[in-house]
Amino acid sequence: MLTRARGWLATEAGAPDPRQRQYVLLVVLAVVAGTVAGWFFELQTPMLLGALTTVLALTATSGQALRSDLRRFMWLTPALVLMMAVGPMLTKVPVLAGLAVALVVFGTGMLPALGEHYRIGGQIFAAATLVTTTTGIGNDQPFLVLLASTAAGGLFALLLRVIVGLGDPGHATRVAVARTLLTPGPGVLEGAAAAWRADGSSTWLGQVLAGSARFRAARETLLAQAQQSDRIEAERLREIVAEADKVAAELARAVRSRACTGLPMAARRDPAQLVVARGGRQDLPDAVAGVNQGLDRIRAAVVNRDESPVPPAEDGALKERLVGAVRAHLSFRSSLFRHALRCTLAVAVGMVIVLLMRDPSASSLLLALYVVLAPAARDSMTGALERTGGAVLGVTALAILITLLPGAYLLVPLVIGGMLLNMPRLRAEYQVVLGCLIVITVVDQAMALDRPLVNVGISFAANTAVGAAIALIVGYVSYLVLPSSILPDVRGAVRSTVWSVSELLRSVRASGQGADLPKALQAANVLALRRTQDLLGMPALLDGTGEETDDNHATRAAAIALDALRQDVSTLAFRPAEERKVAVPALRSVDDLLGGKSTAKIPDIPAGGAPASELLASSLVENALHARQAIDRSFGYDNPWKSYTISFVRPERLHIR
């Protein structure tokens, strides 16, 4: 534990990180000062609401560079502060409280369609709504006191974020870009590109991304060719990839650093020549040239570091993405819509029971219900029984602890301090956020109730069990009522997703060659979005069916790869015609791969143009290679890169209903 703490408080080079130490010191002082002030001046509730606002605001808005985090902070935190202040007032009007909870749960349940940060922000806002409108915390305080305490909590969150990021505002962006040189697999490049665009699109990081995209596409091509070669040739190609990965790791270290005066020898080596020098065949595949081109471009960008922003392209994709997401998911055919509706129905039933009980110990009911349902992916009931048991046993153990431990109220500041010091985990694991909120509300309400603590503990445990049971019942009944599949057709889902992405790809390719197909592009984009989102929820449906070892992993890999590919093609669909024209060779190669052809090679992607254009074109190839291998696995082919044919005769019309 001490080693982990020292690593967290140090820079990558091992030196003490003053910003992290300032952050930890400020958090500890604030928690201690808030606890003392709340106890001596009887301000426990305002202090608690302010602290919760700080935690939730930081969780919802951190994760990228300082500039992009502050931009997100400015529009999300005021809404969060207002909900934390208004929520306790709504408890006095049960109808309004129930309506607010239902609308927020449904709306935030649909936000994953817009991206990762929207998903996290929506989940945190839903948690804030549940805590303030159902637990009774703060309903005995004047509105101005609530508003002042939550606003102070929001400002303190801003202070903490600025302290961590002010010394090196672009650190998170450089780390995200460097990760593309270290982490293989689909989706990594898209996440880094999103972080780069949100942080101002500096030229040198754009050049690094473009070079990394070319390197990754060539690397995956070499690995695919190794699978199709004899043992000796396959070993040689894998050695080239291994040497290239070592060079890329050295370059990643240079990308993460704030400044670079020169590259070490390990970052300037030619990976292919090292392998050739050991003996064997001297001729090299064309993909090796792509590896070297990508590494050369990264080297030049890292050393020169042009900080000027890349001029933004005329991008109409934002409006199209919003319209496409609405058309794709406001339908019972969408698994995301079905899951949002399922959560809303369960929360509505829970709200009715809470209002009928009129017991403060019922505060854990809705949070436990949400723990069971909300983290599940779309149509899934995956892990629902485990989360049910965990929630009930956890609250029971907490009730026993409160009963036996003197000064149990100190658990609240300890939990809040722990949350502030573990922001990355809170962002990655929503059930941890909800679990911490359950601990805080149970301890706070137990201390406030004028009843024997044993009875209070039993009440909380029983109400938690009721909430979990409601989630399970509503979840199971919804499978019988809503149009979903308990026994999913994995191969059929993969085939239909491949078909929809290929339809979108062919429309973009035709538009890049001069065709005017706006309606076909929109319809294909909507269908591909729905199909990939449904396939992303498929692995969770397979849990517990006995197919976890093979179908689950293969389907998850296919879903992630096809969704990353769909994002690239969808972005390209609504970009300027010049970018679509540049990407035509890549689109043709991707079309062949998805159609079942077994040839893996690097297409002729023009280099030296706008970083965003080359980034998209190379990313298309990489994600298509990942998708093709995942498709082979999901279809059960023992021999990789077997030729197959997916019929592209339309099995359905592109009519969105």
Side-chain angles (χ1 to χ4, degrees):
M1 184 65 73
L2 290 176
T3 303
R4 183 180 176 185
R6 285 195 211 97
W8 188 69
L9 293 173
T11 63
E12 184 182 353
D17 189 341
R19 295 182 302 277
Q20 291 289 1
R21 298 194 174 201
Q22 290 171 4
Y23 177 84
V24 172
L25 181 61
L26 195 55
V27 166
V28 172
L29 290 177
V31 169
V32 172
T35 303
V36 172
W39 184 260
F40 282 101
F41 298 103
E42 296 185 352
L43 295 173
Q44 293 96 330
T45 299
M47 288 293 179
L48 176 58
L49 284 173
L52 286 176
T53 304
T54 300
V55 171
L56 296 176
L58 275 178
T59 306
T61 60
S62 60
Q64 288 187 337
L66 181 61
R67 182 186 317 190
S68 53
D69 282 354
L70 291 181
R71 191 181 301 118
R72 194 161 52 250
F73 188 95
M74 292 307 168
W75 65 262
L76 181 57
T77 301
L80 191 62
V81 166
L82 191 60
M83 176 53 70
M84 295 292 290
V86 173
M89 300 291 100
L90 293 177
T91 58
K92 300 175 182 178
V93 188
V95 175
L96 288 179
L99 184 62
V101 169
L103 288 175
V104 169
V105 168
F106 179 78
T108 55
M110 297 294 291
L111 284 179
L114 300 180
E116 179 68 8
H117 289 287
Y118 287 96
R119 178 189 66 81
I120 294 173
Q123 287 180 336
I124 297 302
F125 192 79
T129 304
L130 288 174
V131 168
T132 56
T133 57
T134 63
T135 62
I137 297 177
N139 58 5
D140 59 341
Q141 301 290 320
F143 174 72
L144 291 180
V145 173
L146 295 175
L147 185 60
S149 61
T150 56
L155 291 175
F156 186 61
L158 178 62
L159 175 64
L160 290 176
R161 183 63 190 94
V162 170
I163 284 177
V164 173
L166 193 59
D168 189 4
H171 175 72
T173 305
R174 296 198 308 275
V175 169
V177 172
R179 193 179 299 123
T180 63
L181 295 168
L182 300 172
T183 308
V188 177
L189 203 56
E190 287 72 23
W196 167 66
R197 285 190 291 267
D199 193 29
S201 304
S202 63
T203 296
W204 81 273
L205 283 177
Q207 297 287 355
V208 170
L209 280 172
S212 180
R214 184 174 288 263
F215 164 75
R216 289 168 67 93
R219 179 186 182 277
E220 292 303 322
T221 301
L222 286 174
L223 291 176
Q225 290 172 348
Q227 289 182 318
Q228 299 171 287
S229 304
D230 58 62
R231 183 181 60 82
I232 296 176
E233 178 65 8
E235 185 176 333
R236 185 177 77 121
L237 294 179
R238 292 192 180 101
E239 285 181 6
I240 294 175
V241 170
E243 293 294 340
D245 286 344
K246 293 178 184 177
V247 176
E250 291 295 329
L251 288 173
R253 186 176 290 110
V255 171
R256 286 195 299 267
S257 63
R258 294 189 63 182
C260 180
T261 56
L263 293 173
M265 179 60 67
R268 292 185 276 121
R269 296 181 302 173
D270 184 332
Q273 290 304 318
L274 291 173
V275 175
V276 170
R278 296 171 190 162
R281 293 176 54 182
Q282 301 296 305
D283 58 316
L284 296 171
D286 293 339
V288 172
V291 168
N292 288 326
Q293 287 171 3
L295 294 176
D296 287 341
R297 190 163 188 179
I298 295 168
R299 293 183 187 108
V302 169
V303 173
N304 296 328
R305 299 216 174 199
D306 182 1
E307 296 286 354
S308 62
V310 174
E314 298 178 6
D315 191 358
L318 178 59
K319 178 182 176 182
E320 295 295 341
R321 280 200 299 268
L322 291 175
V323 172
V326 171
R327 294 178 65 197
H329 293 300
L330 282 183
S331 167
F332 282 108
R333 295 173 180 268
S334 167
S335 59
L336 192 64
F337 178 85
R338 293 193 296 266
H339 181 63
L341 188 59
R342 182 178 297 116
C343 289
T344 305
L345 292 173
V347 167
V349 174
M351 278 292 292
V352 171
I353 294 177
V354 168
L355 294 175
L356 291 176
M357 291 176 66
R358 296 183 179 276
D359 185 352
S361 64
S363 58
S364 63
L365 191 152
L366 272 176
L367 285 173
L369 181 154
Y370 212 54
V371 164
V372 173
L373 271 187
R378 300 169 178 89
D379 271 342
S380 170
M381 287 291 286
T382 307
L385 290 175
E386 288 87 345
R387 288 194 296 272
T388 299
V392 176
L393 291 176
V395 172
T396 303
L398 180 62
I400 295 173
L401 186 64
I402 294 171
T403 304
L404 299 178
L405 185 67
Y409 61 88
L410 291 177
L411 286 173
V412 173
L414 286 176
V415 171
I416 289 175
M419 294 176 77
L420 286 170
L421 296 176
N422 286 278
M423 283 293 141
R425 187 176 181 188
L426 296 184
R427 291 177 59 80
E429 301 179 38
Y430 187 46
Q431 57 266 39
V432 174
V433 177
L434 295 175
C436 291
L437 293 177
I438 288 177
V439 172
I440 292 170
T441 54
V442 168
V443 173
D444 180 77
Q445 296 297 327
M447 295 294 101
L449 291 174
D450 188 18
R451 284 155 48 187
L453 287 180
V454 175
N455 294 342
V456 171
I458 294 173
S459 298
F460 275 116
N463 287 320
T464 301
V466 170
I470 292 171
L472 289 175
I473 293 170
V474 172
Y476 178 74
V477 171
S478 66
Y479 274 110
L480 305 179
V481 176
L482 298 177
S484 57
S485 174
I486 296 179
L487 297 175
D489 176 12
V490 175
R491 295 186 182 183
V494 172
R495 189 174 287 106
S496 65
T497 305
V498 171
W499 179 86
S500 65
V501 173
S502 296
E503 186 73 14
L504 174 61
L505 186 147
R506 292 181 174 196
S507 299
V508 175
R509 178 179 163 188
S511 66
Q513 293 173 328
D516 187 16
L517 304 168
K519 292 185 178 179
L521 273 176
Q522 292 169 358
N525 180 47
V526 170
L527 188 61
L529 176 60
R530 182 183 295 165
R531 290 288 180 267
T532 52
Q533 292 293 312
D534 288 349
L535 190 62
L536 284 169
M538 186 72 69
L541 287 172
L542 298 173
D543 285 348
T545 64
E547 299 175 297
E548 302 95 322
T549 56
D550 295 323
D551 280 356
N552 196 333
H553 299 310
T555 307
R556 180 177 290 110
I560 294 173
L562 285 169
D563 185 59
L565 180 59
R566 191 268 313 162
Q567 291 181 48
D568 288 339
V569 180
S570 179
T571 301
L572 190 63
F574 305 105
R575 297 298 287 267
E578 295 78 13
E579 290 195 26
R580 295 199 296 273
K581 185 176 180 180
V582 167
V584 165
L587 291 170
R588 187 181 297 113
S589 177
V590 172
D591 196 10
D592 290 342
L593 287 170
L594 291 185
K597 294 184 180 180
S598 58
T599 303
K601 63 179 182 179
I602 287 287
D604 184 19
I605 301 172
S613 303
E614 188 178 345
L615 168 63
L616 270 176
S618 297
S619 182
L620 283 167
V621 178
E622 182 208 352
N623 287 324
L625 289 165
H626 287 301
R628 174 57 196 273
Q629 295 187 60
I631 291 166
D632 284 349
R633 289 175 56 198
S634 62
F635 283 172
Y637 295 145
D638 296 329
N639 184 19
W641 294 95
K642 176 181 178 180
S643 294
Y644 62 85
T645 301
I646 291 183
S647 174
F648 289 103
V649 177
R650 296 191 177 194
E652 56 182 297
R653 290 184 175 274
L654 285 177
H655 177 61
I656 307 306
R657 290 178 287 178

